[in-house]
Amino acid sequence: MIELQIVNRMVRRGFVIAPILGVALWVVGGSDYAVSGLVGVAMTLANLYFAGRVIGAVAESNPKMLLPAAMLAFTMGLAILTGISFVLKVNSLIYFPVTGFTLIGTHLLLVLWESAVSYRIAPGTRPNTSPRS
């Protein structure tokens, strides 16, 4: 499934980003910030993996249902992330602003990174830059 290949690349990049982000947040705000940021990265990676599994399974079995499956994966992922966030916030296990910003920022970073790499390597997508004769 190509969707899982994409998600696996994003997860590998997330594992590269996580320690760098953890150290940076630890320097800025101590262990509370570092743990909160790493929780945000973990939630992001879990959400991307969940969506990739759902979309990949539907794409293989019934491609006509791909759009509803993507909307369902997005909605369910958002609901699960919201539930996890409420539990973590109520139990004071994280500093929520750091987790929230990390969650959103990591999603954006990983998706844009994958898009940029995919655009660069996909055949037929690069504009013709050869000089005209």
Side-chain angles (χ1 to χ4, degrees):
M1 289 189 279
I2 189 148
E3 295 80 8
L4 280 181
Q5 292 172 353
I6 291 170
V7 169
N8 286 336
R9 285 192 303 265
M10 286 194 277
V11 168
R12 280 194 306 269
R13 290 182 186 123
F15 284 137
V16 170
I17 293 169
I20 297 167
L21 180 68
V23 169
L25 287 171
W26 186 43
V27 169
V28 170
S31 62
D32 288 344
Y33 274 39
V35 169
S36 297
L38 293 175
V39 167
V41 172
M43 290 169 62
T44 298
L45 297 178
N47 186 42
L48 290 171
Y49 186 76
F50 170 74
R53 292 291 298 182
V54 170
I55 293 170
V58 171
E60 281 190 350
S61 63
N62 191 357
K64 291 180 182 181
M65 294 299 294
L66 195 54
L67 181 62
M71 300 217 22
L72 178 69
F74 173 76
T75 304
M76 291 297 297
L78 189 60
I80 291 168
L81 290 176
T82 302
I84 292 169
S85 297
F86 279 137
V87 168
L88 292 172
K89 188 175 179 184
V90 166
N91 292 325
S92 300
L93 298 174
I94 57 168
Y95 181 59
F96 192 73
V98 172
T99 304
F101 281 118
T102 303
L103 180 65
I104 293 167
T106 307
H107 266 96
L108 289 174
L109 177 68
L110 291 174
V111 169
L112 289 174
W113 191 350
E114 179 62 28
S115 297
V117 170
S118 295
Y119 176 76
R120 186 174 49 107
I121 63 174
T125 58
R126 296 183 73 185
N128 187 3
T129 56
S130 61
R132 293 186 178 199
S133 349

